Amino acid sequence: MGGESRYEIAQDAYMKIVLHALKHKSSAVNAVLLGRVSPTNDAVEITDSVPLFHSHLGLLPQLEISLILIEEHYAAKGVNIVGYFHANERFDDYELSGVAKNVGDHIYRYFPQAAILLLDNKKLEALPKGKDRSPVMQLYTRDSSKNWKLAGGEGSSQLTIKEPSANAVLLDHISTEKWQDVVDFDDHLDDISKDWLNPELFK
Amino acid sequence: MVSKTEETQLSNLETQVDNGGGGAWEYLCLVRKLKVRRSDRVLKHGLSILNDLKKRSSLGPDEWTLYEQVAVAAMDCQSLEVAKDCIKVLRKKFPESKRVGRLEGMLLEAKGAWAEAEKAYSSLLEDNPLDQVIHKRRVAMAKGQGNVSVAIEWLNKYLEIFMADHDAWRELAEIYVSLQMYKQAAFCYEELILSQPMVPLYHLAYADVLYTLGGLENLQNAKKYYASTIDLTGGKNTRALFGVCLCSSAIGQIAKGRNKDDKESPELQSLAATALEREYKQKASDKLSLLTAALKGLKVSS
């Protein structure tokens, strides 16, 4: 595996997980990233995401159930789990936690180009002030010594958003508090009538 | 900890107040009673009462409680000027008050002036070494600065003295889980179950931690605690029902190689599976086929 993979995340998948993090500002949250390898180039297309939990991220039972149900749903569409998104509890915490690495390792076993995305709070905070089109998250990929390395700089992997105006749309949603409508797996397990697919979120 | 009925009551009131239907004071009292964190709304609705002279004076002595509640909410929303104003009013009314002193310490925290906040709290503790709120503020400060090991150490010291503080045990357990220190988290839940054996949340959390620890004995115990959760919640807890199925599957995997009597009676898991399918059919029918496939994959059939 060379060091450079390209990752492209779809606007809706991107906004969903950022809004989820904003819904639960005082907790760590996570999400699963779904997609496929592009048939034309070698890039990983993240086409969708499912927000998972906002409490007890380090416990296995709910993670296992959610992954089973999610895989079951998406496999029928030819889409697999390609990565994991994590947002730390504290604003200035840029460390990739053990929980994040473990989930990442698990996904890597089935998808060697797996990525971990970590929410970049400072970038998110600065969003209204600039015209930054890059995603407000850090990208981590596995290197040859089985460690998760932060991508950045020349010759390394990079993450882009498919639609260039995604951050503008995101800011719009933030101003209307759209995050209230995001349903995650925790919400579903507390009330199964809540749909973790969020089908109406961006309609 | 909030029950489902309380949660519904709260969100109904919330919607009512948000849409101008009145009931702001009831809402604020309920938030205080349930100890939930709704700082943006508390700030907005609390201020609307405080800034209206007529409404404010109709509160009588509760006016000061509201100032305190709004001050804390303001700090949570980083509206530090509002917080400062509220605290000033309280200071004027209660010049010798330690309770106001606590708020002043919290304001220093909110500003990020950690060292000064620490000094303020230490001096308050000198006069009153058994002030639980201040002890917990110091733990919160350590956690907020990222000193998790210090937070754990102080929280443990706190619990040696105040071992009946259930919220503190829960906080400690959650910190341990976030650090993947599952054995220590299990200990916390054991303490909670010992002191409050009828609270299903603790049984459920304990079961989750045991399952995460893994190994045959832990899985068998996890299954027992999922079962007791189901018992205590009248079979309505989806997580516990899933937990039973996961445990049965995992135990089945381990016991496959062995010929001992670790083979469980299948009734519990088939009952759980039936209950889940019934629930999904009723409330989430579009997900029923996913559920059935998942249960099949766990080799659990109803």
Side-chain angles (χ1 to χ4, degrees):
Chain A
M1 263 258 32
E4 328 144 19
S5 294
R6 280 214 315 117
Y7 297 83
E8 188 188 66
I9 182 167
Q11 175 170 294
D12 284 0
Y14 169 70
M15 295 195 300
K16 208 188 300 184
I17 53 186
V18 178
L19 289 170
H20 179 231
L22 286 170
K23 185 174 182 183
H24 304 282
K25 289 195 182 82
S26 53
S27 331
V29 303
N30 56 5
V32 111
L33 307 169
L34 299 132
R36 54 180 196 150
V37 180
S38 158
T40 43
N41 50 34
D42 226 2
V44 175
E45 296 174 350
I46 303 169
T47 54
D48 204 352
S49 57
V50 176
L52 290 175
F53 308 109
H54 53 269
S55 66
H56 294 142
L57 270 60
L59 292 178
L60 277 185
Q62 51 250 55
L63 179 64
E64 289 186 8
I65 274 296
S66 65
L67 291 180
I68 291 174
L69 291 172
I70 291 171
E71 272 172 332
E72 193 65 47
H73 172 83
Y74 283 97
K77 305 182 168 186
V79 174
N80 338 348
I81 297 182
V82 298
Y84 171 79
F85 168 79
H86 192 99
N88 281 326
E89 188 180 23
R90 281 181 304 111
F91 181 83
D92 49 8
D93 185 359
Y94 282 87
E95 200 184 306
L96 202 58
S97 65
V99 173
K101 288 186 198 161
N102 286 151
V103 181
D105 287 340
H106 173 82
I107 297 175
Y108 176 83
R109 240 176 274 139
Y110 299 93
F111 185 73
Q113 279 170 279
I116 298 182
L117 300 182
L118 184 68
L119 183 69
D120 187 330
N121 288 299
K122 296 194 183 133
K123 251 183 140 179
L124 176 59
E125 191 189 36
L127 212 50
K129 306 178 193 145
K131 299 252 188 235
D132 196 347
R133 296 181 159 201
S134 60
V136 295
M137 26 193 90
Q138 293 183 331
L139 167 69
Y140 288 80
T141 50
R142 280 257 298 230
D143 66 11
S144 40
S145 39
K146 301 205 180 148
N147 293 321
W148 288 96
K149 279 257 303 275
L150 175 61
E154 292 305 312
S156 83
S157 315
Q158 41 161 297
L159 171 73
T160 51
I161 314 176
K162 183 161 172 215
E163 294 86 334
S165 54
N167 277 332
V169 182
L170 174 62
L171 278 172
D172 196 45
H173 283 309
I174 293 176
S175 65
T176 57
E177 299 196 356
K178 189 79 171 158
W179 62 72
Q180 314 265 19
D181 302 339
V182 177
V183 171
D184 65 9
F185 232 91
D186 255 337
D187 301 326
H188 175 79
L189 289 174
D190 288 339
D191 176 356
I192 57 171
S193 66
K194 298 207 172 132
D195 192 348
W196 44 266
L197 282 171
N198 290 288
E200 305 297 310
L201 186 60
F202 296 123
K203 292 277 188 311
Chain B
M1 257 195 336
V2 177
S3 72
K4 222 173 194 163
T5 21
E6 287 166 336
E7 178 77 49
T8 324
Q9 188 188 6
L10 184 65
S11 42
N12 287 341
L13 251 182
E14 208 167 71
T15 324
Q16 182 187 314
V17 186
D18 281 346
N19 293 327
W25 178 241
E26 285 75 34
Y27 175 69
L28 291 164
C29 289
L30 189 57
V31 167
R32 244 194 343 262
K33 176 172 152 218
L34 298 176
K35 294 201 209 162
V36 287
R37 195 170 178 174
R38 297 278 197 276
S39 302
D40 48 356
R41 286 194 169 79
V42 168
L43 183 57
K44 179 165 161 210
H45 301 308
L47 269 183
S48 77
I49 296 182
L50 288 176
N51 286 333
D52 179 324
L53 185 56
K54 216 165 71 171
K55 285 192 195 156
R56 201 173 75 219
S57 40
S58 73
L59 290 178
D62 284 333
E63 179 186 351
W64 313 112
T65 322
L66 184 58
Y67 270 112
E68 186 185 35
Q69 190 180 9
V70 170
V72 174
M75 287 189 260
D76 208 12
C77 298
Q78 275 288 301
S79 296
L80 298 183
E81 284 308 310
V82 174
K84 207 162 80 177
D85 290 339
C86 292
I87 296 175
K88 232 189 337 205
V89 170
L90 285 168
R91 200 21 120 196
K92 205 163 149 209
K93 173 78 182 169
F94 305 105
E96 301 293 318
S97 165
K98 294 279 187 305
R99 196 161 152 179
V100 179
R102 279 204 308 240
L103 287 175
E104 288 164 344
M106 282 175 75
L107 185 58
L108 288 167
E109 264 191 80
K111 290 187 181 151
W114 305 113
E116 293 175 49
E118 173 62 45
K119 244 192 351 214
Y121 287 144
S122 301
S123 87
L124 284 167
L125 275 178
E126 263 172 33
D127 299 328
N128 191 1
L130 290 177
D131 187 326
Q132 294 188 311
V133 176
I134 297 193
H135 278 290
K136 289 196 275 191
R137 280 315 323 155
R138 292 172 86 209
V139 175
M141 277 212 299
K143 198 176 169 200
Q145 292 174 80
N147 289 333
V148 201
S149 43
V150 170
I152 291 179
E153 188 192 321
W154 283 355
L155 197 42
N156 270 301
K157 279 214 194 93
Y158 170 84
L159 283 165
E160 274 169 37
I161 312 173
F162 302 104
M163 55 194 80
D165 188 336
H166 301 126
D167 288 336
W169 280 112
R170 283 181 67 202
E171 175 68 28
L172 185 56
E174 285 178 18
I175 297 179
Y176 280 138
V177 167
S178 73
L179 296 172
Q180 299 182 293
M181 296 167 69
Y182 300 116
K183 279 217 187 75
Q184 292 86 337
F187 176 75
C188 296
Y189 288 121
E190 282 161 9
E191 288 291 321
L192 284 166
I193 294 175
L194 266 173
S195 62
Q196 289 189 298
M198 304 302 276
V199 174
L201 178 68
Y202 304 147
H203 292 245
L204 180 63
Y206 187 47
D208 282 339
V209 172
L210 287 174
Y211 181 91
T212 309
L213 273 167
L216 186 58
E217 199 179 322
N218 285 327
L219 288 169
Q220 288 168 326
N221 280 326
K223 193 165 169 182
K224 290 197 190 118
Y225 281 92
Y226 283 127
S228 60
T229 308
I230 296 173
D231 199 21
L232 288 166
T233 56
K236 297 209 188 84
N237 191 302
T238 313
R239 293 169 193 261
L241 293 169
F242 272 124
V244 165
C245 299
L246 284 170
C247 282
S248 306
S249 173
I251 293 172
Q253 300 268 15
I254 298 184
K256 232 193 311 197
R258 319 183 184 190
N259 239 331
K260 297 198 320 202
D261 278 304
D262 289 326
K263 294 259 166 44
E264 315 243 317
S265 59
E267 283 119 23
L268 185 55
Q269 64 242 47
S270 62
L271 281 172
T274 314
L276 278 169
E277 288 187 324
R278 190 174 49 225
E279 263 211 64
Y280 269 77
K281 205 184 265 179
Q282 234 184 15
K283 301 188 202 152
S285 51
D286 60 326
K287 299 275 185 304
L288 182 56
S289 56
L290 287 183
L291 173 73
T292 317
L295 292 175
K296 208 155 66 151
L298 289 171
K299 291 200 190 9
V300 177
S301 54
S302 54

